[in-house]
Amino acid sequence: MSNDDEHAEEISTTNGDSFEKVKQRLQDRSKKVDHTKEMMSKQAKHTKEILSKQASKIAKQAGEHEKFINKVTHVLGVLGFGGFCFLLGARPQDIPYVYCFFYVTFVPLRWINYRFKKLHYYLLDFCYYANTIFVIHLVLYPKNEKLFMVCFSFAEGPLAWALIVWRCSLVFSSADKLVSALIHLLPGLVFFTIRWWNPATFEAMHQEETSSRVSWPYGVEDKSYLMTWLFWVPLFAYTLWQALYFLIVNVLRRQRLLRDPEVMTSYRELSKKARKANNIWWRLSGLLGDQNRPLMYILLQAIFTVATMALTVPIFLSYELHVVFQILKVSAAAWNGGSFLLEVMPRQVILKDKKKSEMQPVPPQQDQSSIVENAMDAGISAEVNGS
């Protein structure tokens, strides 16, 4: 073999060894990446299990001290709502901060409670989607006029009318009902204060006609501008939520929901109540047959959203109409709360006491021979004492 052939063979061997080394390094790196992914997946699963166990533990402890918690909730609820009403008149510019504090504090607590009760899919509902957008606007983009109008449409449209239609109750002794009512009620009050009572916007609305800005918002006289940002853009944002909700609940988590019928969604809960009452909602949702009830539910919800968003335009333009609407919402929530306390709660207390009595162990009954023997012993004792 010549020197050139030996040199070529040596180069080929060297290149082959280099290729094998590079290949081995890539394989080792791939194994490390796979191992890291596996470890992260296990850690995420472990963390989720720990959070679920803690949520269940907290919710169980809360259930054991329900009466005491209800009393504390009633006191704090009355004081908190009273303080909110005071700020509403004394410092309306601080109302958005109070609302943001309420939302970021109580919604995580609600997730803990609902996770234990298998109601956590409720937090995918439109009201939480809208409230999250409200907080983003108030904290990050408070001066964005167009985003304000979108939030106004959500707050005084679907959320406000849901408070009335779905009978949200202002019950200070029930943390669950109080939070549900405030999630629908507070956003409208927040955007009412920004629209009419906030000193900065109020000053902008009442500048002299010679000023470069005579009204707030900028395009308040432009009807097409109002329709765009109070109706069409919010309707698009609602459609986006509806698509995401359908994807998560009816596609990604479908098997999970089918495996466990105790896991509740808003559709399951509403259809269950409507079927039991056989009301107009149940009859309307069955127009296309039982198999298409979810589709009809989405359609009815879309019609409700379109109608309520359209009503936000005249409310946005009229201070008097907006004030009347605030009174209507608070009155409806208070009325529903009174109905719950006087009609629903007594029935619930009776049912709870009945369940507790049924769960208590029944003392073992004595057999007939033991009863006869005890009776004979009692008779003998009586004769002895009588003698």
Side-chain angles (χ1 to χ4, degrees):
M1 182 180 293
S2 65
N3 293 333
D4 292 340
D5 292 338
E6 291 179 357
H7 183 65
E9 184 178 356
E10 184 179 352
I11 293 174
S12 176
T13 304
T14 303
N15 290 337
D17 292 341
S18 299
F19 177 75
E20 289 296 330
K21 289 180 180 179
V22 172
K23 184 178 179 180
Q24 185 65 35
R25 287 177 183 175
L26 290 175
Q27 289 178 350
D28 293 341
R29 185 172 296 178
S30 177
K31 288 180 181 179
K32 288 182 180 180
V33 171
D34 292 339
H35 179 70
T36 303
K37 287 182 179 179
E38 185 179 356
M39 291 295 294
M40 291 179 66
S41 177
K42 288 182 179 179
Q43 185 64 33
K45 185 177 180 180
H46 181 63
T47 303
K48 184 178 179 180
E49 290 177 354
I50 292 175
L51 290 174
S52 298
K53 288 180 180 179
Q54 290 298 322
S56 301
K57 184 178 179 180
I58 293 172
K60 186 177 180 180
Q61 290 176 348
E64 294 173 354
H65 303 87
E66 184 179 2
K67 289 184 178 179
F68 176 75
I69 292 175
N70 287 344
K71 291 177 183 179
V72 173
T73 302
H74 179 80
V75 173
L76 296 179
V78 172
L79 293 177
F81 194 74
F84 178 84
C85 292
F86 172 78
L87 284 177
L88 193 62
R91 293 186 59 84
Q93 65 270 24
D94 293 336
I95 290 298
Y97 305 112
V98 175
Y99 159 75
C100 290
F101 174 78
F102 159 79
Y103 187 74
V104 300
T105 302
F106 286 95
V107 169
L109 294 176
R110 164 159 282 202
W111 180 86
I112 293 173
N113 184 32
Y114 276 20
R115 183 69 180 80
F116 173 73
K117 295 180 179 180
K118 296 184 178 182
L119 303 174
H120 49 288
Y121 282 94
Y122 280 173
L123 272 70
L124 297 175
D125 287 352
F126 178 75
C127 56
Y128 297 96
Y129 170 79
N131 274 273
T132 302
I133 295 177
F134 299 159
V135 173
I136 292 173
H137 163 62
L138 295 171
V139 175
L140 300 179
Y141 308 101
K143 295 182 180 180
N144 189 311
E145 185 176 274
K146 294 175 180 178
L147 183 56
F148 165 80
M149 297 178 73
V150 172
C151 293
F152 185 96
S153 179
F154 284 166
E156 295 296 56
L159 260 68
W161 288 99
L163 181 78
I164 299 171
V165 173
W166 304 122
R167 297 178 60 83
C168 293
S169 305
L170 199 59
V171 181
F172 293 109
S173 59
S174 171
D176 185 56
K177 290 196 170 294
L178 185 60
V179 172
S180 295
L182 293 180
I183 281 176
H184 293 82
L185 180 63
L186 289 186
L189 292 171
V190 169
F191 293 109
F192 172 83
T193 60
I194 295 175
R195 174 73 176 101
W196 303 107
W197 287 357
N198 188 294
T201 55
F202 189 82
E203 182 181 355
M205 290 169 58
H206 293 81
Q207 289 181 2
E208 297 296 331
E209 293 184 359
T210 57
S211 173
S212 60
R213 182 181 184 186
V214 296
S215 64
W216 183 89
Y218 286 108
V220 72
E221 293 87 5
D222 188 348
K223 296 300 185 289
S224 62
Y225 179 84
L226 290 178
M227 286 298 297
T228 298
W229 294 103
L230 285 175
F231 183 75
W232 293 113
V233 175
L235 188 60
F236 173 78
Y238 166 81
T239 306
L240 178 62
W241 164 81
Q242 186 67 81
L244 290 172
Y245 184 89
F246 184 85
L247 176 65
I248 294 172
V249 175
N250 295 83
V251 179
L252 299 178
R253 306 299 292 173
R254 177 179 175 81
Q255 295 302 321
R256 168 74 178 90
L257 293 170
L258 289 175
R259 285 197 304 269
D260 192 350
E262 292 183 358
V263 176
M264 279 292 145
T265 64
S266 56
Y267 169 72
R268 279 186 173 182
E269 182 69 17
L270 289 173
S271 61
K272 179 181 177 182
K273 291 181 178 179
R275 181 174 64 250
K276 185 177 180 180
N278 194 25
N279 56 25
I280 186 172
W281 300 109
W282 180 252
R283 293 192 290 271
L284 286 175
S285 65
L287 290 177
L288 299 180
D290 287 340
Q291 70 277 8
N292 293 317
R293 284 188 186 275
L295 179 63
M296 278 299 298
Y297 174 74
I298 293 174
L299 180 61
L300 291 171
Q301 193 174 27
I303 294 172
F304 169 80
T305 302
V306 170
T308 55
M309 282 183 178
L311 291 173
T312 60
V313 178
I315 291 174
F316 186 83
L317 293 172
S318 173
Y319 174 74
E320 291 77 11
L321 186 59
H322 206 176
V323 170
V324 171
F325 192 50
Q326 302 309 306
I327 296 173
L328 174 64
K329 290 189 297 181
V330 175
S331 300
W335 177 272
N336 294 336
S339 299
F340 177 82
L341 289 173
L342 297 175
E343 298 173 8
V344 180
M345 186 173 282
R347 293 198 300 266
Q348 290 182 346
V349 172
I350 293 172
L351 288 174
K352 284 183 180 180
D353 291 341
K354 185 177 180 181
K355 286 182 180 180
K356 286 181 179 179
S357 62
E358 289 175 352
M359 292 175 64
Q360 289 178 354
V362 180
Q365 295 182 353
Q366 294 178 319
D367 57 11
Q368 194 67 24
S369 59
S370 299
I371 295 174
V372 172
E373 289 177 1
N374 291 338
M376 291 178 64
D377 291 342
I380 294 171
S381 300
E383 289 179 1
V384 171
N385 293 331
S387 62

mmCIF file of all heavy atoms in Angstrom, residues 6 26 166 171 204 300 331 337:
data_model
loop_
_atom_site.group_PDB
_atom_site.id
_atom_site.type_symbol
_atom_site.label_atom_id
_atom_site.label_comp_id
_atom_site.label_asym_id
_atom_site.label_seq_id
_atom_site.Cartn_x
_atom_site.Cartn_y
_atom_site.Cartn_z
ATOM 1 N N GLU A 6 -2.314 5.126 2.375
ATOM 2 C CA GLU A 6 -2.331 5.103 3.844
ATOM 3 C C GLU A 6 -2.801 6.429 4.420
ATOM 4 O O GLU A 6 -3.567 6.478 5.392
ATOM 5 C CB GLU A 6 -0.923 4.777 4.351
ATOM 6 C CG GLU A 6 -0.465 3.359 4.061
ATOM 7 C CD GLU A 6 0.947 3.116 4.566
ATOM 8 O OE1 GLU A 6 1.549 4.095 5.090
ATOM 9 O OE2 GLU A 6 1.440 1.974 4.451
ATOM 10 N N LEU A 26 -24.526 14.471 20.105
ATOM 11 C CA LEU A 26 -25.936 14.833 19.828
ATOM 12 C C LEU A 26 -26.891 13.891 20.538
ATOM 13 O O LEU A 26 -27.931 14.313 21.072
ATOM 14 C CB LEU A 26 -26.187 14.803 18.320
ATOM 15 C CG LEU A 26 -25.507 15.912 17.496
ATOM 16 C CD1 LEU A 26 -25.733 15.688 16.006
ATOM 17 C CD2 LEU A 26 -26.035 17.283 17.909
ATOM 18 N N TRP A 166 -79.879 35.786 35.598
ATOM 19 C CA TRP A 166 -79.505 34.561 36.300
ATOM 20 C C TRP A 166 -79.652 34.694 37.816
ATOM 21 O O TRP A 166 -79.179 33.844 38.572
ATOM 22 C CB TRP A 166 -78.068 34.163 35.955
ATOM 23 C CG TRP A 166 -77.837 33.998 34.483
ATOM 24 C CD1 TRP A 166 -76.939 34.668 33.730
ATOM 25 C CD2 TRP A 166 -78.537 33.125 33.591
ATOM 26 N NE1 TRP A 166 -77.026 34.272 32.417
ATOM 27 C CE2 TRP A 166 -77.998 33.328 32.304
ATOM 28 C CE3 TRP A 166 -79.566 32.196 33.755
ATOM 29 C CZ2 TRP A 166 -78.453 32.632 31.181
ATOM 30 C CZ3 TRP A 166 -80.028 31.513 32.636
ATOM 31 C CH2 TRP A 166 -79.466 31.734 31.379
ATOM 32 N N VAL A 171 -76.081 38.293 49.169
ATOM 33 C CA VAL A 171 -76.267 37.654 50.473
ATOM 34 C C VAL A 171 -74.953 37.769 51.230
ATOM 35 O O VAL A 171 -73.975 37.097 50.899
ATOM 36 C CB VAL A 171 -76.678 36.171 50.323
ATOM 37 C CG1 VAL A 171 -76.895 35.544 51.695
ATOM 38 C CG2 VAL A 171 -77.931 36.053 49.476
ATOM 39 N N ALA A 204 -62.345 66.790 31.706
ATOM 40 C CA ALA A 204 -62.184 66.720 30.255
ATOM 41 C C ALA A 204 -63.522 66.847 29.539
ATOM 42 O O ALA A 204 -63.611 67.417 28.454
ATOM 43 C CB ALA A 204 -61.516 65.403 29.872
ATOM 44 N N LEU A 300 -78.337 30.712 22.064
ATOM 45 C CA LEU A 300 -79.121 31.572 22.964
ATOM 46 C C LEU A 300 -78.222 32.545 23.710
ATOM 47 O O LEU A 300 -78.568 33.721 23.905
ATOM 48 C CB LEU A 300 -79.908 30.711 23.953
ATOM 49 C CG LEU A 300 -81.057 29.886 23.380
ATOM 50 C CD1 LEU A 300 -81.605 28.927 24.438
ATOM 51 C CD2 LEU A 300 -82.171 30.794 22.870
ATOM 52 N N SER A 331 -80.787 46.923 43.095
ATOM 53 C CA SER A 331 -82.099 46.521 43.620
ATOM 54 C C SER A 331 -82.393 45.063 43.293
ATOM 55 O O SER A 331 -82.907 44.317 44.142
ATOM 56 C CB SER A 331 -83.197 47.421 43.036
ATOM 57 O OG SER A 331 -82.978 48.770 43.378
ATOM 58 N N GLY A 337 -81.316 38.492 46.941
ATOM 59 C CA GLY A 337 -80.745 38.096 48.223
ATOM 60 C C GLY A 337 -81.813 37.886 49.280
ATOM 61 O O GLY A 337 -81.759 36.921 50.050
#
